[in-house]
Amino acid sequence: MRATLLVLAALSLLGCKKTIGITEQPYRPTMAIEGLLMPGETPRIYLNETVPFFSSRLTPSQLFVDDAVVNILGPDGLDQLVVDSTYSRWWCRWEPFYAGSIQIRENATYTLSLTRRGQSYTAEATTNVPAATISDVSYVETFVDIYGGHEGVVVNFDDIPGRSDQYRFEMVRELDTRHETVDDREYRSPCLAEDEKVWQTDVGRFVYFDDRLDGAPVRFVVEPAHTNYKDDKALVYIQSLDREAAEFYERLDRQREANVNPFIEPVFLETGVHGLIGVFSAMNRSEPMPFVFPLDSG
């Protein structure tokens, strides 16, 4: 009798499957901006349009806003940015942006003015963020975080004392047709020739704030974004971010974690550019530290 009841219960559960259609609601797009001013470089502003969750528009070229007027006013005059792009051999796609021509100075204030379809937006950034100095870079075969065990690149540096500082990891490394991304897609570039190598930049998601440990030694342990092979070459940097940029990227990371972990409360993306989503801020970068991977990916 019990076995019969269990079978009936199982059959009833199978009969409960139901397909639910989702009606897409009206959606009003918003512009998203990303612009980090770096001393010694010319400005580069990424300006995209947000899309609803089920949109098929995904690539940078599809999302790019190409009909805006973007200007940056600084101590050397007005920089009128123009549409430009680079081609990523790794991702096989064009990546458009607005490019300036006047080199950014240290300890200077810059004002962004952006106009599109009768709407105007302004923001301000000051390039007073000092660069950190990396003391050494090493390697660990396994470290554990909320996503499990991984190999890691270990970066040591000292926090700059007497001020509020925020940092994140950056690596520029050589990739070829053997390499894959380490996320769920396991992407391998189909655009590269068999013996071709390209330099690819990866920026860490995690942002470190020195609020409680001003002037203390800092250690980053970061999982590489791609698989690697023994003797692969890379350059490691530490980015110093101003407070506004750091807080935005921290919220962005928390939002990403909420998408994959149901126990993390979602967050809303705030912005320092009124009317837009994103950031117009300043950053600096340490001198590069060469690094060679000692082992193949596990």
Side-chain angles (χ1 to χ4, degrees):
M1 179 66 174
R2 179 176 296 177
T4 302
L5 291 175
L6 289 174
V7 170
L8 290 174
L11 291 174
S12 67
L13 288 175
L14 290 173
C16 291
K17 184 177 180 180
K18 184 178 180 180
T19 301
I20 301 175
I22 299 177
T23 302
E24 190 170 342
Q25 299 299 311
Y27 181 82
R28 184 179 181 132
T30 303
M31 280 196 296
I33 184 172
E34 184 176 27
L36 296 178
L37 302 183
M38 170 75 182
E41 297 183 357
T42 53
R44 183 175 288 192
I45 303 295
Y46 294 88
L47 192 63
N48 299 315
E49 192 171 65
T50 63
V51 292
F53 186 82
F54 293 106
S55 174
S56 60
R57 294 169 56 203
L58 298 174
T59 67
S61 294
Q62 292 171 328
L63 300 176
F64 182 64
V65 173
D66 64 359
D67 59 348
V69 176
V70 183
N71 295 319
I72 296 178
L73 179 63
D76 297 312
L78 184 68
D79 197 356
Q80 298 176 314
L81 280 66
V82 297
V83 173
D84 200 348
S85 63
T86 57
Y87 186 75
S88 170
R89 292 284 293 166
W90 173 254
W91 292 110
C92 308
R93 67 192 185 192
W94 287 98
E95 298 178 348
F97 51 85
Y98 285 84
S101 58
I102 300 177
Q103 194 173 89
I104 298 297
R105 291 191 187 189
E106 290 187 351
N107 299 313
T109 298
Y110 292 86
T111 302
L112 169 77
S113 61
L114 190 158
T115 303
R116 186 193 186 215
R117 299 179 182 176
Q119 298 293 317
S120 296
Y121 311 87
T122 61
E124 191 173 272
T126 301
T127 56
N128 59 354
V129 185
T133 301
I134 298 174
S135 55
D136 63 81
V137 180
S138 58
Y139 175 86
V140 60
E141 287 191 59
T142 305
F143 78 99
V144 178
D145 61 14
I146 63 172
Y147 300 102
H150 321 278
E151 64 172 345
V153 177
V154 183
V155 189
N156 289 295
F157 63 99
D158 289 330
D159 173 56
I160 301 169
R163 51 169 289 130
S164 175
D165 294 292
Q166 301 78 221
Y167 309 98
R168 65 178 180 173
F169 172 89
E170 178 181 340
M171 173 181 281
V172 182
R173 57 176 298 193
E174 285 186 310
L175 301 176
D176 58 31
T177 54
R178 300 172 302 161
H179 296 87
E180 297 180 347
T181 57
V182 298
D183 61 16
D184 294 337
R185 292 174 295 172
E186 296 181 340
Y187 171 87
R188 182 178 296 191
S189 177
C191 293
L192 300 179
E194 184 175 352
D195 297 324
E196 183 181 4
K197 292 185 176 182
V198 295
W199 287 92
Q200 176 71 17
T201 299
D202 300 315
V203 178
R205 296 182 358 252
F206 172 77
V207 178
Y208 173 81
F209 293 78
D210 74 344
D211 294 348
R212 296 185 180 180
L213 295 172
D214 180 59
V218 183
R219 169 172 288 189
F220 283 179
V221 185
V222 181
E223 179 189 18
H226 304 84
T227 56
N228 48 266
Y229 295 87
K230 187 176 185 299
D231 297 328
D232 277 356
K233 297 177 181 179
L235 296 173
V236 175
Y237 301 83
I238 291 297
Q239 292 184 358
S240 298
L241 304 175
D242 72 8
R243 188 79 183 192
E244 182 180 308
E247 290 177 349
F248 174 79
Y249 288 117
E250 183 196 33
R251 287 190 293 267
L252 193 65
D253 184 42
R254 286 165 54 198
Q255 186 183 73
R256 180 186 184 279
E257 289 186 356
N259 288 338
V260 298
N261 188 338
F263 301 103
I264 296 178
E265 183 176 351
V267 298
F268 292 97
L269 293 179
E270 300 175 7
T271 177
V273 186
H274 182 69
L276 306 181
I277 296 174
V279 63
F280 175 74
S281 291
M283 66 166 285
N284 212 330
R285 187 186 285 117
S286 69
E287 291 295 319
M289 179 69 74
F291 174 73
V292 179
F293 282 91
L295 300 172
D296 293 354
S297 296

